[in-house]
Amino acid sequence: MFGLFKKTSEKEKLQKQYEKLMADWHKLSTTNRAASDLKYAEAQKVLERLEALK
């Protein structure tokens, strides 16, 4: 309840976005390899931005 008004940091937003992209990548890896590769590349870009913040 007390976290209701807490703003998420840029690092937390990027981490959640990275986790979502990796989950999508994993799901697509068994059905559509081209789309899977695009998701993985997108996730790597987010990871680079996340590493730059550290």
Side-chain angles (χ1 to χ4, degrees), residues 13-34:
K13 289 179 187 177
L14 287 174
Q15 183 66 33
K16 285 187 179 190
Q17 184 181 7
Y18 177 74
E19 290 172 5
K20 182 184 180 310
L21 287 170
M22 290 304 284
D24 291 344
W25 164 74
H26 186 17
K27 288 177 191 172
L28 287 170
S29 67
T30 59
T31 57
N32 188 346
R33 185 61 190 248

Side-chain angles (χ1 to χ4, degrees), residues 7-14:
K7 292 189 178 190
T8 56
S9 69
E10 184 70 21
K11 184 178 174 183
E12 291 171 341
K13 289 179 187 177
L14 287 174

Side-chain angles (χ1 to χ4, degrees), residues 1-7:
M1 170 139 170
F2 294 108
L4 182 65
F5 299 109
K6 180 184 172 194
K7 292 189 178 190

